[in-house]
């Protein structure tokens, strides 16, 4: 297949991304090692079939890929016992294998099961209490995350703890951080809150009854005037 210099520049000698989508050319060595029975070859065949029906980066191509996933999902479930959707969308674990950590596992689980519903649990403190260390003998920075994951792995409902810190039964209240003013590189100070923000907070607290203004003795109607851009009194 003869290509122009512009098209040749898009290819690489090995692992050419262009040829992962389009028909493999003879410009590089990777075309020699791609076999029809390999996963790469199978994916190339699927991509080529889709390209026969729709141009690249088109809505039609996107729809055909979606249809392929729908067709392949039950096949993978039946023959491989794998749920593609759950496998692909599975949240990433930030602690790895629990065997890589040393701590008093049975004592930790026993103590956690005795905590009453709604208890305040400081997972990081529990890491110190039950001597959680990694392979290097150091306490990992995400010790609390590891212990929470270990509890969930052992069928303990961690949502029953720290319910005062949650908006719902699952979502934690996000702490609002004040904006910071940068003075120089590495040096910042909290910025002052604007009058508008303070006024909104006070109004919100009054409406919710946090701030009690007491009983209105002599309610009055207040009117205000202002001068518009043309100089007229409004």
């Amino acid at each position: 297949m003869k290509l122009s210099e512009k098209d040749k520049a898009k290819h690489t000698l090995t692992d050419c991304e262009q040829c992962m989508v389009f028909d493999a050319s003879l410009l590089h060595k990777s075309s020699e090692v791609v076999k029809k029975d390999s996963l790469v070859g199978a994916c190339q065949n699927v991509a080529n079939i889709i390209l026969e029906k729709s141009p690249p980066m088109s809505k039609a191509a996107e729809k055909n890929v979606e249809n392929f996933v729908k067709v392949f999902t039950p096949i993978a479930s039946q023959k491989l016992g794998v749920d593609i959707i759950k496998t692909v969308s599975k949240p990433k674990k930030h602690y790895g294998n629990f065997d890589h950590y040393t701590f008093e596992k049975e004592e930790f689980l026993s103590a956690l099961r005795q905590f009453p519903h709604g208890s305040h649990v400081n997972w990081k403190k529990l890491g110190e209490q039950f001597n959680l260390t990694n392979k290097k003998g150091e306490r990992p920075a995400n010790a609390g995350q590891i212990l929470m994951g270990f509890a969930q792995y052992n069928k303990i409902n961690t949502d029953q703890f720290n319910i005062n810190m949650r908006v719902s039964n699952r979502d934690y209240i996000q702490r609002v951080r004040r904006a910071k003013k940068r003075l120089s590189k590495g040096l910042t100070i909290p910025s002052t809150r604007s009058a508008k923000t303070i006024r909104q907070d006070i109004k919100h607290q009054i409406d919710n009854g946090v701030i009690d203004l007491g009983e209105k003795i002599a309610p009055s109607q207040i009117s205000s005037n202002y001068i518009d851009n043309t100089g007229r009194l409004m």
Side-chain angles (χ1 to χ4, degrees):
M1 181 171 61
K2 189 174 181 180
L3 300 176
S4 63
E5 292 298 324
K6 183 178 179 181
D7 291 333
K8 287 181 181 179
K10 298 179 181 178
H11 291 259
T12 56
L13 185 62
T14 58
D15 299 327
C16 178
E17 293 184 1
Q18 286 289 316
C19 293
M20 290 295 183
V21 179
F22 301 99
D23 292 332
S25 70
L26 300 178
L27 289 175
H28 47 77
K29 298 177 181 179
S30 61
S31 60
E32 300 174 2
V33 298
V34 175
K35 298 180 180 180
K36 292 183 179 180
D37 58 348
S38 67
L39 287 176
V40 175
C43 292
Q44 285 184 350
N45 291 336
V46 172
N48 289 334
I49 293 173
I50 293 176
L51 284 172
E52 291 176 0
K53 300 181 179 180
S54 53
M57 301 178 66
S58 64
K59 286 290 183 181
E62 183 178 338
K63 186 65 177 178
N64 285 327
V65 171
E66 183 180 343
N67 291 336
F68 167 73
V69 174
K70 289 181 179 179
V71 172
F72 185 64
T73 296
I75 297 175
S77 177
Q78 181 180 1
K79 293 193 173 184
L80 305 177
V82 175
D83 189 326
I84 292 181
I85 305 301
K86 288 185 178 180
T87 302
V88 174
S89 60
K90 186 182 297 183
K92 183 179 179 181
K93 296 180 180 179
H94 298 278
Y95 40 79
N97 194 325
F98 294 116
D99 293 335
H100 296 165
Y101 303 99
T102 302
F103 62 99
E104 302 165 9
K105 298 180 181 179
E106 293 302 325
E107 291 81 355
F108 163 72
L109 293 175
S110 177
L112 199 61
R113 290 189 176 103
Q114 294 178 12
F115 287 176
H117 185 276
S119 297
H120 174 72
V121 176
N122 188 324
W123 298 98
K124 185 175 181 179
K125 289 291 184 182
L126 290 178
E128 299 175 1
Q129 179 180 344
F130 293 98
N131 303 316
L132 173 62
T133 57
N134 55 22
K135 286 185 175 181
K136 297 180 180 179
E138 302 171 348
R139 180 165 292 110
N142 63 334
Q145 195 176 39
I146 296 169
L147 289 184
M148 181 183 288
F150 185 72
Q152 293 170 348
Y153 178 77
N154 286 275
K155 311 300 182 183
I156 295 179
N157 180 19
T158 57
D159 291 341
Q160 64 179 314
F161 306 124
N162 302 330
I163 57 177
N164 59 314
M165 300 172 60
R166 299 175 184 270
V167 178
S168 61
N169 290 332
R170 183 192 63 185
D171 302 317
Y172 280 99
I173 298 174
Q174 297 295 320
R175 184 175 64 176
V176 178
R177 297 181 180 272
R178 291 180 61 183
K180 293 184 178 181
K181 183 182 297 183
R182 184 180 297 276
L183 299 180
S184 62
K185 186 176 181 181
L187 180 60
T188 58
I189 60 173
S191 61
T192 56
R193 301 173 68 196
S194 65
K196 180 180 179 181
T197 303
I198 296 175
R199 186 165 57 250
Q200 289 176 343
D201 287 347
I202 293 176
K203 184 179 183 303
H204 180 71
Q205 293 182 42
I206 292 174
D207 294 340
N208 291 339
V210 177
I211 298 178
D212 185 10
L213 297 180
E215 184 180 354
K216 295 182 179 180
I217 300 175
S220 59
Q221 185 175 1
I222 301 175
S223 61
S224 59
N225 299 327
Y226 66 94
I227 299 176
D228 64 7
N229 295 333
T230 62
R232 292 187 301 172
L233 181 64
M234 305 296 291

